[in-house]
Amino acid sequence: MAVFEKIIPRKVFLDDTQVLTCIFENAQNIQGHTEYIIRVQRGPLPEKTWHIYKRYNDFVSLHNLLQISGLNFPLPPKKLIGNMEREFIAERQTGLQNYLNLILMNPILASSLPVKKFLDPENYATPFQELALQHVSMILRSEVNYEVIKPVPEIGWRLRKHYFLVKSRVNPKEEMLLSWVEHGPDKYLEDRDLHGVFKSISGLQHPYIQGIEFLNCNEVGGFVVRGLNNAGSLRDLLCTAKPKLQFMKKYGNPKQYKPLSPSDMACFGRQILEVLRFLSEKGLPFGHLHTGNIMLENGEVKLLDIENGVLGLPSYYRPYFVQHKKIQTLEAVDVYCFGHVLYEMAFGHPLHESVCDIFPSSCPPVLKSVLESILSTEACKGGLPTIAALLTHPFFNSTELAYSHHLTNPSQSDRPHLKFSSHVKEALKVARQKIEIRLKDEQKMVRHQKRLVRVQELLSNEEEKKKRKQKQKEQLQKQHQQLVSNGKSPERSESPNSTSTATSAGTVTPPSGNCLIEFSPPPPPPVPSAPSPLQSVPSAAPERTALLGSICNFNKATLRRTAATASASNLNQGCILP
């Protein structure tokens, strides 16, 4: 490196696909109003957090903006009297937390501008459409062939992508669609190399890629001019939606889903795979396949947005495949996105999960095998098939491509064509590697965060067990104190063996042999607090009671001395005579 060479730092653009999570931490009283303190986090790293302060009216405004989607999530109701009570504030805080959780679980609402602006006002309060119009007008100032007519509503899901109707001065009656988008976080091409890529893309030819009329870029973003397709995208067809309506209104809560037939799925899927293989062979990074950028013309697929990869835009399904460490290459990303597209074509509605292990019984077995090889948990853990392997699958290989005569008998105009210079090829190769490195790094962060969450759950479970044991111990101590305070000692509680113990204590078993026993005088009277042996055997028979009484009242003075007794005393010297 030269001594005086200036190092230009790469600008890091915000990744709008990173998931936002929020947790209500507290509530405070500000000038007679309740203000909720919410902690918001972007992505897996806890360092990317900030706090927002919202009142209930802010949630009402957000709720009104989201009504265009047709989804009605339960917002806690208003309360005029008693809305400052502590119990009510806690109850409302729980309801608002559940309300935001439901919104963030819906991919369409979570990616909308009202939700992003509500949770991250610092980064999303910019008037994006006005800035886009300024950049487009500035670039087209040197172009005499195109003129902007009017902006189009947000028909796409990207917040930083805006659409305008333009017309060509050569053919004023023909309307075309211009799409402008800012650079994304995966832009690793220098501006000079990006211009070279755009120049090559302008001459691209492929039967299943929609033609490009004009494209250009600057240091902020790029735009592409294409012909206007009034039929809409494949997603419009599946949701039976009008193409020019706003994104949330079209796809938030469609009234009807219209899945494709297996034959159409096999045909369109084969055509999409041919495009993916073509882009992969040419070294052009893609990874942006979804039903919103697939058009249908005369029974053929026309793929859009092939320039998204070099512009550095994040993928629509990135929040899903970033959870699986086996999806680390751009080819694997394309295959995973193709699995989601195939699922949506089969069942009409998108898959809002990263994996799927259970499919409807109506799914044909051959189609089910394709979906399982891409979307099942086992496939995402073990590895996805390649594009070439999918092209040889019976579901696609055994289908006659009735609409794909371009591949079997291509003419000069239909022959696929895309050529890059050697310098641009090397730059694209480096860019692909950097895109994959960023993906791997983010996957490591996601796995690390999941491990931390599992450890915290284990620790919380251990703490719960300790709390339960401590609570049981405190309850036992409390019961013991209550027994002591009531005059009942646990040590002196009656046991089932108390009767037998008392009986054995009041019964004398005579020894074996002929020794005369010197009976000791009767024991002193018992302490009044302790029961006597006779009283402790209330159930003894009358004869037994009389025998015990005679033993206790025995008087040795009434015994007579006999000769047998004297001789016995000589033999048994250990015995004591009366």
Side-chain angles (χ1 to χ4, degrees):
M1 182 177 69
V3 178
F4 299 103
E5 183 177 351
K6 183 178 179 181
I7 300 176
I8 301 176
R10 174 181 174 270
K11 181 180 178 181
V12 179
F13 299 93
L14 189 64
D15 189 348
D16 296 324
T17 62
Q18 286 187 328
V19 179
L20 296 179
T21 56
C22 61
I23 298 177
F24 282 69
E25 290 188 342
N26 204 346
Q28 57 185 1
N29 190 346
I30 303 296
Q31 298 179 355
H33 298 283
T34 303
E35 191 176 67
Y36 298 95
I37 305 174
I38 308 172
R39 177 169 56 88
V40 186
Q41 177 177 330
R42 173 184 288 110
L45 293 180
E47 292 81 9
K48 296 183 179 180
T49 59
W50 61 92
H51 288 84
I52 58 175
Y53 305 88
K54 299 293 182 180
R55 292 171 49 184
Y56 177 76
N57 290 337
D58 298 328
F59 287 90
V60 175
S61 301
L62 174 65
H63 185 73
N64 293 333
L65 292 175
L66 298 181
Q67 290 303 301
I68 190 175
S69 66
L71 297 170
N72 189 13
F73 292 133
L75 181 68
K78 290 186 177 181
K79 186 177 182 181
L80 299 178
I81 301 175
N83 56 2
M84 300 300 294
E85 296 177 357
R86 182 177 300 178
E87 293 79 7
F88 174 75
I89 293 176
E91 181 181 355
R92 173 175 280 183
Q93 178 174 322
T94 303
L96 293 176
Q97 177 74 73
N98 295 332
Y99 176 76
L100 281 183
N101 290 342
L102 290 174
I103 290 177
L104 296 178
M105 288 172 61
N106 188 295
I108 295 177
L109 298 184
S111 61
S112 64
L113 184 58
V115 175
K116 297 285 189 181
K117 188 183 297 186
F118 182 86
L119 297 177
D120 190 4
E122 182 178 354
N123 291 310
Y124 293 98
T126 307
F128 296 109
Q129 192 172 47
E130 295 179 7
L131 293 177
L133 181 59
Q134 293 177 8
H135 289 293
V136 170
S137 301
M138 188 175 298
I139 298 178
L140 289 181
R141 187 175 299 175
S142 59
E143 284 291 333
V144 296
N145 293 330
Y146 298 96
E147 179 185 358
V148 177
I149 300 175
K150 62 178 181 179
V152 178
E154 296 83 356
I155 59 177
W157 67 275
R158 293 190 186 273
L159 304 177
R160 305 174 191 273
K161 192 168 189 176
H162 303 276
Y163 299 87
F164 303 91
L165 284 178
V166 296
K167 66 178 180 179
S168 173
R169 291 186 174 94
V170 178
N171 189 3
K173 294 183 179 181
E174 182 183 2
E175 290 185 345
M176 289 175 286
L177 188 66
L178 182 148
S179 60
W180 160 269
V181 66
E182 298 181 9
H183 294 309
D186 283 327
K187 179 186 177 295
Y188 296 101
L189 290 175
E190 300 294 336
D191 293 342
R192 183 186 63 177
D193 297 330
L194 184 59
H195 279 284
V197 173
F198 269 34
K199 183 178 179 180
S200 298
I201 292 179
S202 61
L204 182 146
Q205 293 180 0
H206 197 281
Y208 307 129
I209 298 178
Q210 189 173 24
I212 297 175
E213 301 292 335
F214 178 70
L215 75 167
N216 205 339
C217 62
N218 59 9
E219 67 279 359
V220 179
F223 71 86
V224 179
V225 178
R226 294 183 174 92
L228 183 62
N229 190 327
N230 294 321
S233 64
L234 177 59
R235 180 170 293 171
D236 294 328
L237 176 63
L238 296 174
C239 297
T240 62
K242 297 180 180 180
K244 294 183 180 181
L245 293 179
Q246 193 176 1
F247 182 79
M248 281 199 303
K249 188 173 184 179
K250 289 192 295 184
Y251 311 128
N253 188 18
K255 297 181 180 179
Q256 182 182 2
Y257 289 109
K258 186 180 178 182
L260 301 182
S261 63
S263 59
D264 288 340
M265 290 173 53
C267 180
F268 297 152
R270 175 67 183 274
Q271 296 173 4
I272 294 172
L273 289 174
E274 293 289 350
V275 176
L276 296 179
R277 181 169 63 176
F278 172 77
L279 297 178
S280 179
E281 291 175 351
K282 296 298 180 180
L284 185 68
F286 186 49
H288 295 272
L289 181 68
H290 58 84
T291 55
N293 59 13
I294 299 175
M295 313 297 287
L296 297 178
E297 290 184 0
N298 301 322
E300 291 182 346
V301 163
K302 298 294 182 181
L303 196 62
L304 307 176
D305 299 339
I306 60 171
E307 71 280 356
N308 285 354
V310 294
L311 289 173
L313 303 182
S315 174
Y316 180 77
Y317 295 109
R318 187 179 183 88
Y320 295 153
F321 62 73
V322 78
Q323 304 177 29
H324 307 290
K325 64 179 181 179
K326 288 295 184 179
I327 307 177
Q328 294 185 340
T329 63
L330 286 177
E331 183 180 3
V333 170
D334 287 333
V335 171
Y336 182 80
C337 296
F338 176 75
H340 276 267
V341 170
L342 199 63
Y343 181 95
E344 193 169 350
M345 288 193 296
F347 308 112
H349 56 86
L351 176 64
H352 291 320
E353 300 290 341
S354 64
V355 295
C356 183
D357 295 319
I358 301 176
F359 299 93
S361 58
S362 59
C363 181
V366 63
L367 173 61
K368 184 179 179 181
S369 65
V370 180
L371 295 174
E372 288 179 342
S373 67
I374 302 175
L375 299 177
S376 65
T377 304
E378 182 180 357
C380 292
K381 288 184 178 180
L384 304 185
T386 62
I387 298 175
L390 288 175
L391 284 170
T392 59
H393 193 277
F395 184 71
F396 304 108
N397 190 26
S398 61
T399 303
E400 293 293 335
L401 299 180
Y403 310 114
S404 302
H405 59 277
H406 307 287
L407 295 180
T408 56
N409 298 310
S411 61
Q412 189 65 28
S413 59
D414 295 329
R415 189 183 299 274
H417 172 75
L418 178 61
K419 187 176 181 180
F420 297 111
S421 64
S422 59
H423 177 75
V424 172
K425 284 183 180 180
E426 187 64 27
L428 287 174
K429 182 179 179 180
V430 174
R432 288 176 64 97
Q433 293 174 353
K434 292 182 178 180
I435 292 173
E436 294 173 354
I437 289 174
R438 191 179 87 89
L439 174 60
K440 295 176 184 178
D441 292 340
E442 189 170 350
Q443 289 173 338
K444 290 180 182 178
M445 291 187 294
V446 171
R447 293 197 300 272
H448 177 68
Q449 189 64 23
K450 286 184 177 181
R451 285 195 295 266
L452 291 180
V453 171
R454 287 196 294 267
V455 170
Q456 291 176 358
E457 290 178 352
L458 292 176
L459 291 177
S460 62
N461 292 336
E462 292 295 332
E463 291 178 358
E464 290 293 333
K465 291 180 181 179
K466 291 180 180 179
K467 288 181 180 179
R468 287 197 297 267
K469 290 182 180 179
Q470 184 66 22
K471 189 175 182 180
Q472 293 176 358
K473 186 177 180 180
E474 291 176 357
Q475 290 178 353
L476 291 175
Q477 291 178 353
K478 188 176 181 180
Q479 293 176 359
H480 178 76
Q481 292 176 359
Q482 290 178 354
L483 290 174
V484 172
S485 62
N486 294 334
K488 297 180 180 180
S489 177
E491 289 79 2
R492 297 185 60 186
S493 61
E494 295 183 357
S495 62
N497 298 329
S498 60
T499 304
S500 61
T501 304
T503 305
S504 61
T507 305
V508 179
T509 304
S512 60
N514 296 325
C515 294
L516 295 178
I517 302 173
E518 181 182 12
F519 291 94
S520 61
V527 182
S529 60
S532 63
L534 293 177
Q535 293 175 351
S536 64
V537 193
S539 61
E543 296 81 0
R544 188 177 182 87
T545 305
L547 176 61
L548 292 176
S550 62
I551 292 174
C552 292
N553 298 327
F554 177 76
N555 187 2
K556 64 181 179 178
T558 59
L559 295 175
R560 289 185 302 174
R561 186 179 182 87
T562 61
T565 305
S567 60
S569 61
N570 295 330
L571 296 174
N572 303 288
Q573 296 179 359
C575 297
I576 300 176
L577 295 176

mmCIF file of all heavy atoms in Angstrom, residues 258-286:
data_model
loop_
_atom_site.group_PDB
_atom_site.id
_atom_site.type_symbol
_atom_site.label_atom_id
_atom_site.label_comp_id
_atom_site.label_asym_id
_atom_site.label_seq_id
_atom_site.Cartn_x
_atom_site.Cartn_y
_atom_site.Cartn_z
ATOM 1 N N LYS A 258 -55.453 -18.791 -3.837
ATOM 2 C CA LYS A 258 -55.659 -19.589 -5.040
ATOM 3 C C LYS A 258 -54.369 -20.321 -5.383
ATOM 4 O O LYS A 258 -53.529 -19.803 -6.133
ATOM 5 C CB LYS A 258 -56.096 -18.687 -6.201
ATOM 6 C CG LYS A 258 -56.475 -19.440 -7.461
ATOM 7 C CD LYS A 258 -56.894 -18.462 -8.555
ATOM 8 C CE LYS A 258 -57.238 -19.195 -9.840
ATOM 9 N NZ LYS A 258 -57.608 -18.236 -10.920
ATOM 10 N N PRO A 259 -54.143 -21.515 -4.843
ATOM 11 C CA PRO A 259 -52.905 -22.258 -5.145
ATOM 12 C C PRO A 259 -52.877 -22.733 -6.583
ATOM 13 O O PRO A 259 -53.912 -22.799 -7.271
ATOM 14 C CB PRO A 259 -52.950 -23.422 -4.161
ATOM 15 C CG PRO A 259 -54.403 -23.599 -3.835
ATOM 16 C CD PRO A 259 -55.007 -22.229 -3.897
ATOM 17 N N LEU A 260 -51.701 -23.091 -7.034
ATOM 18 C CA LEU A 260 -51.521 -23.558 -8.408
ATOM 19 C C LEU A 260 -51.701 -25.067 -8.482
ATOM 20 O O LEU A 260 -51.601 -25.786 -7.477
ATOM 21 C CB LEU A 260 -50.126 -23.176 -8.914
ATOM 22 C CG LEU A 260 -49.775 -21.687 -8.938
ATOM 23 C CD1 LEU A 260 -48.375 -21.491 -9.509
ATOM 24 C CD2 LEU A 260 -50.793 -20.889 -9.735
ATOM 25 N N SER A 261 -51.925 -25.537 -9.659
ATOM 26 C CA SER A 261 -52.040 -26.976 -9.884
ATOM 27 C C SER A 261 -50.647 -27.598 -9.886
ATOM 28 O O SER A 261 -49.646 -26.915 -10.148
ATOM 29 C CB SER A 261 -52.729 -27.245 -11.211
ATOM 30 O OG SER A 261 -51.951 -26.739 -12.283
ATOM 31 N N PRO A 262 -50.530 -28.890 -9.596
ATOM 32 C CA PRO A 262 -49.204 -29.526 -9.607
ATOM 33 C C PRO A 262 -48.474 -29.414 -10.935
ATOM 34 O O PRO A 262 -47.240 -29.268 -10.964
ATOM 35 C CB PRO A 262 -49.525 -30.988 -9.261
ATOM 36 C CG PRO A 262 -50.806 -30.921 -8.483
ATOM 37 C CD PRO A 262 -51.580 -29.793 -9.092
ATOM 38 N N SER A 263 -49.203 -29.461 -12.039
ATOM 39 C CA SER A 263 -48.533 -29.355 -13.341
ATOM 40 C C SER A 263 -47.941 -27.964 -13.548
ATOM 41 O O SER A 263 -46.807 -27.819 -14.032
ATOM 42 C CB SER A 263 -49.526 -29.676 -14.458
ATOM 43 O OG SER A 263 -50.639 -28.788 -14.413
ATOM 44 N N ASP A 264 -48.692 -26.916 -13.160
ATOM 45 C CA ASP A 264 -48.156 -25.560 -13.268
ATOM 46 C C ASP A 264 -46.981 -25.360 -12.317
ATOM 47 O O ASP A 264 -45.993 -24.685 -12.664
ATOM 48 C CB ASP A 264 -49.246 -24.528 -12.965
ATOM 49 C CG ASP A 264 -50.278 -24.450 -14.089
ATOM 50 O OD1 ASP A 264 -49.952 -24.881 -15.212
ATOM 51 O OD2 ASP A 264 -51.397 -23.969 -13.825
ATOM 52 N N MET A 265 -47.076 -25.935 -11.135
ATOM 53 C CA MET A 265 -45.974 -25.814 -10.177
ATOM 54 C C MET A 265 -44.703 -26.462 -10.729
ATOM 55 O O MET A 265 -43.607 -25.906 -10.607
ATOM 56 C CB MET A 265 -46.355 -26.469 -8.853
ATOM 57 C CG MET A 265 -47.420 -25.734 -8.077
ATOM 58 S SD MET A 265 -47.934 -26.677 -6.637
ATOM 59 C CE MET A 265 -46.366 -26.984 -5.875
ATOM 60 N N ALA A 266 -44.848 -27.636 -11.328
ATOM 61 C CA ALA A 266 -43.679 -28.317 -11.888
ATOM 62 C C ALA A 266 -43.067 -27.513 -13.031
ATOM 63 O O ALA A 266 -41.840 -27.391 -13.145
ATOM 64 C CB ALA A 266 -44.069 -29.711 -12.367
ATOM 65 N N CYS A 267 -43.924 -26.930 -13.864
ATOM 66 C CA CYS A 267 -43.426 -26.168 -15.000
ATOM 67 C C CYS A 267 -42.747 -24.877 -14.543
ATOM 68 O O CYS A 267 -41.617 -24.576 -14.948
ATOM 69 C CB CYS A 267 -44.580 -25.850 -15.939
ATOM 70 S SG CYS A 267 -44.096 -24.895 -17.388
ATOM 71 N N PHE A 268 -43.440 -24.102 -13.691
ATOM 72 C CA PHE A 268 -42.861 -22.844 -13.223
ATOM 73 C C PHE A 268 -41.628 -23.095 -12.352
ATOM 74 O O PHE A 268 -40.649 -22.341 -12.409
ATOM 75 C CB PHE A 268 -43.904 -22.043 -12.445
ATOM 76 C CG PHE A 268 -45.089 -21.619 -13.275
ATOM 77 C CD1 PHE A 268 -46.330 -21.420 -12.696
ATOM 78 C CD2 PHE A 268 -44.960 -21.425 -14.640
ATOM 79 C CE1 PHE A 268 -47.421 -21.025 -13.445
ATOM 80 C CE2 PHE A 268 -46.043 -21.041 -15.408
ATOM 81 C CZ PHE A 268 -47.279 -20.846 -14.809
ATOM 82 N N GLY A 269 -41.679 -24.155 -11.537
ATOM 83 C CA GLY A 269 -40.526 -24.478 -10.713
ATOM 84 C C GLY A 269 -39.309 -24.832 -11.547
ATOM 85 O O GLY A 269 -38.184 -24.431 -11.219
ATOM 86 N N ARG A 270 -39.516 -25.561 -12.622
ATOM 87 C CA ARG A 270 -38.408 -25.904 -13.518
ATOM 88 C C ARG A 270 -37.810 -24.647 -14.150
ATOM 89 O O ARG A 270 -36.578 -24.504 -14.250
ATOM 90 C CB ARG A 270 -38.907 -26.871 -14.595
ATOM 91 C CG ARG A 270 -37.876 -27.208 -15.673
ATOM 92 C CD ARG A 270 -36.727 -28.006 -15.118
ATOM 93 N NE ARG A 270 -35.715 -28.273 -16.122
ATOM 94 C CZ ARG A 270 -35.760 -29.321 -16.963
ATOM 95 N NH1 ARG A 270 -36.792 -30.177 -16.915
ATOM 96 N NH2 ARG A 270 -34.802 -29.523 -17.827
ATOM 97 N N GLN A 271 -38.647 -23.731 -14.562
ATOM 98 C CA GLN A 271 -38.157 -22.496 -15.165
ATOM 99 C C GLN A 271 -37.383 -21.650 -14.152
ATOM 100 O O GLN A 271 -36.343 -21.067 -14.487
ATOM 101 C CB GLN A 271 -39.333 -21.704 -15.735
ATOM 102 C CG GLN A 271 -40.050 -22.404 -16.878
ATOM 103 C CD GLN A 271 -41.309 -21.667 -17.305
ATOM 104 O OE1 GLN A 271 -41.609 -20.586 -16.801
ATOM 105 N NE2 GLN A 271 -42.056 -22.267 -18.229
ATOM 106 N N ILE A 272 -37.868 -21.600 -12.928
ATOM 107 C CA ILE A 272 -37.154 -20.833 -11.891
ATOM 108 C C ILE A 272 -35.796 -21.449 -11.613
ATOM 109 O O ILE A 272 -34.786 -20.745 -11.457
ATOM 110 C CB ILE A 272 -38.013 -20.766 -10.616
ATOM 111 C CG1 ILE A 272 -39.280 -19.943 -10.859
ATOM 112 C CG2 ILE A 272 -37.215 -20.162 -9.465
ATOM 113 C CD1 ILE A 272 -40.273 -19.988 -9.718
ATOM 114 N N LEU A 273 -35.740 -22.777 -11.553
ATOM 115 C CA LEU A 273 -34.458 -23.444 -11.313
ATOM 116 C C LEU A 273 -33.470 -23.189 -12.450
ATOM 117 O O LEU A 273 -32.256 -23.065 -12.212
ATOM 118 C CB LEU A 273 -34.683 -24.948 -11.134
ATOM 119 C CG LEU A 273 -35.365 -25.376 -9.832
ATOM 120 C CD1 LEU A 273 -35.655 -26.872 -9.854
ATOM 121 C CD2 LEU A 273 -34.505 -25.025 -8.622
ATOM 122 N N GLU A 274 -33.972 -23.095 -13.667
ATOM 123 C CA GLU A 274 -33.088 -22.786 -14.792
ATOM 124 C C GLU A 274 -32.479 -21.395 -14.632
ATOM 125 O O GLU A 274 -31.291 -21.184 -14.927
ATOM 126 C CB GLU A 274 -33.866 -22.876 -16.115
ATOM 127 C CG GLU A 274 -34.328 -24.269 -16.489
ATOM 128 C CD GLU A 274 -33.177 -25.176 -16.907
ATOM 129 O OE1 GLU A 274 -32.046 -24.666 -17.098
ATOM 130 O OE2 GLU A 274 -33.402 -26.389 -17.049
ATOM 131 N N VAL A 275 -33.272 -20.430 -14.143
ATOM 132 C CA VAL A 275 -32.745 -19.081 -13.919
ATOM 133 C C VAL A 275 -31.710 -19.091 -12.806
ATOM 134 O O VAL A 275 -30.645 -18.461 -12.927
ATOM 135 C CB VAL A 275 -33.888 -18.107 -13.594
ATOM 136 C CG1 VAL A 275 -33.321 -16.723 -13.276
ATOM 137 C CG2 VAL A 275 -34.858 -18.012 -14.750
ATOM 138 N N LEU A 276 -31.989 -19.805 -11.721
ATOM 139 C CA LEU A 276 -31.048 -19.856 -10.604
ATOM 140 C C LEU A 276 -29.733 -20.490 -11.019
ATOM 141 O O LEU A 276 -28.644 -20.034 -10.623
ATOM 142 C CB LEU A 276 -31.672 -20.623 -9.437
ATOM 143 C CG LEU A 276 -32.915 -20.002 -8.782
ATOM 144 C CD1 LEU A 276 -33.423 -20.892 -7.654
ATOM 145 C CD2 LEU A 276 -32.623 -18.595 -8.269
ATOM 146 N N ARG A 277 -29.790 -21.533 -11.818
ATOM 147 C CA ARG A 277 -28.558 -22.163 -12.294
ATOM 148 C C ARG A 277 -27.777 -21.218 -13.206
ATOM 149 O O ARG A 277 -26.540 -21.141 -13.116
ATOM 150 C CB ARG A 277 -28.875 -23.465 -13.034
ATOM 151 C CG ARG A 277 -27.633 -24.180 -13.530
ATOM 152 C CD ARG A 277 -27.940 -25.573 -14.023
ATOM 153 N NE ARG A 277 -28.830 -25.590 -15.176
ATOM 154 C CZ ARG A 277 -29.172 -26.705 -15.832
ATOM 155 N NH1 ARG A 277 -28.687 -27.875 -15.435
ATOM 156 N NH2 ARG A 277 -29.999 -26.655 -16.864
ATOM 157 N N PHE A 278 -28.482 -20.483 -14.045
ATOM 158 C CA PHE A 278 -27.826 -19.544 -14.957
ATOM 159 C C PHE A 278 -27.100 -18.445 -14.184
ATOM 160 O O PHE A 278 -25.929 -18.128 -14.457
ATOM 161 C CB PHE A 278 -28.870 -18.952 -15.899
ATOM 162 C CG PHE A 278 -28.355 -17.845 -16.758
ATOM 163 C CD1 PHE A 278 -27.570 -18.116 -17.871
ATOM 164 C CD2 PHE A 278 -28.650 -16.516 -16.473
ATOM 165 C CE1 PHE A 278 -27.089 -17.088 -18.668
ATOM 166 C CE2 PHE A 278 -28.174 -15.487 -17.269
ATOM 167 C CZ PHE A 278 -27.387 -15.765 -18.371
ATOM 168 N N LEU A 279 -27.750 -17.863 -13.197
ATOM 169 C CA LEU A 279 -27.128 -16.786 -12.410
ATOM 170 C C LEU A 279 -25.956 -17.315 -11.595
ATOM 171 O O LEU A 279 -24.935 -16.625 -11.443
ATOM 172 C CB LEU A 279 -28.163 -16.150 -11.491
ATOM 173 C CG LEU A 279 -29.339 -15.444 -12.170
ATOM 174 C CD1 LEU A 279 -30.314 -14.903 -11.131
ATOM 175 C CD2 LEU A 279 -28.847 -14.314 -13.071
ATOM 176 N N SER A 280 -26.083 -18.538 -11.069
ATOM 177 C CA SER A 280 -24.988 -19.113 -10.292
ATOM 178 C C SER A 280 -23.773 -19.389 -11.170
ATOM 179 O O SER A 280 -22.625 -19.153 -10.762
ATOM 180 C CB SER A 280 -25.454 -20.405 -9.614
ATOM 181 O OG SER A 280 -24.416 -21.001 -8.884
ATOM 182 N N GLU A 281 -23.986 -19.885 -12.384
ATOM 183 C CA GLU A 281 -22.869 -20.155 -13.294
ATOM 184 C C GLU A 281 -22.161 -18.867 -13.719
ATOM 185 O O GLU A 281 -20.946 -18.861 -13.920
ATOM 186 C CB GLU A 281 -23.376 -20.908 -14.520
ATOM 187 C CG GLU A 281 -23.821 -22.332 -14.213
ATOM 188 C CD GLU A 281 -24.422 -23.005 -15.439
ATOM 189 O OE1 GLU A 281 -24.639 -22.282 -16.451
ATOM 190 O OE2 GLU A 281 -24.679 -24.224 -15.393
ATOM 191 N N LYS A 282 -22.922 -17.784 -13.841
ATOM 192 C CA LYS A 282 -22.328 -16.509 -14.243
ATOM 193 C C LYS A 282 -21.657 -15.786 -13.068
ATOM 194 O O LYS A 282 -20.974 -14.772 -13.282
ATOM 195 C CB LYS A 282 -23.385 -15.598 -14.863
ATOM 196 C CG LYS A 282 -23.967 -16.145 -16.161
ATOM 197 C CD LYS A 282 -22.882 -16.285 -17.230
ATOM 198 C CE LYS A 282 -23.450 -16.821 -18.534
ATOM 199 N NZ LYS A 282 -22.401 -16.961 -19.583
ATOM 200 N N GLY A 283 -21.847 -16.268 -11.850
ATOM 201 C CA GLY A 283 -21.231 -15.644 -10.694
ATOM 202 C C GLY A 283 -21.943 -14.425 -10.173
ATOM 203 O O GLY A 283 -21.378 -13.670 -9.365
ATOM 204 N N LEU A 284 -23.191 -14.196 -10.603
ATOM 205 C CA LEU A 284 -23.957 -13.038 -10.149
ATOM 206 C C LEU A 284 -24.684 -13.396 -8.861
ATOM 207 O O LEU A 284 -25.533 -14.291 -8.841
ATOM 208 C CB LEU A 284 -24.964 -12.615 -11.224
ATOM 209 C CG LEU A 284 -25.756 -11.338 -10.928
ATOM 210 C CD1 LEU A 284 -24.824 -10.130 -10.945
ATOM 211 C CD2 LEU A 284 -26.873 -11.147 -11.948
ATOM 212 N N PRO A 285 -24.384 -12.743 -7.735
ATOM 213 C CA PRO A 285 -25.072 -13.078 -6.477
ATOM 214 C C PRO A 285 -26.541 -12.684 -6.555
ATOM 215 O O PRO A 285 -26.892 -11.605 -7.039
ATOM 216 C CB PRO A 285 -24.319 -12.239 -5.435
ATOM 217 C CG PRO A 285 -23.707 -11.116 -6.199
ATOM 218 C CD PRO A 285 -23.400 -11.661 -7.560
ATOM 219 N N PHE A 286 -27.403 -13.581 -6.044
ATOM 220 C CA PHE A 286 -28.842 -13.304 -6.087
ATOM 221 C C PHE A 286 -29.425 -13.453 -4.676
ATOM 222 O O PHE A 286 -29.315 -12.553 -3.867
ATOM 223 C CB PHE A 286 -29.525 -14.227 -7.103
ATOM 224 C CG PHE A 286 -30.980 -13.914 -7.313
ATOM 225 C CD1 PHE A 286 -31.401 -12.622 -7.558
ATOM 226 C CD2 PHE A 286 -31.931 -14.916 -7.263
ATOM 227 C CE1 PHE A 286 -32.748 -12.325 -7.748
ATOM 228 C CE2 PHE A 286 -33.271 -14.640 -7.457
ATOM 229 C CZ PHE A 286 -33.670 -13.344 -7.694
#
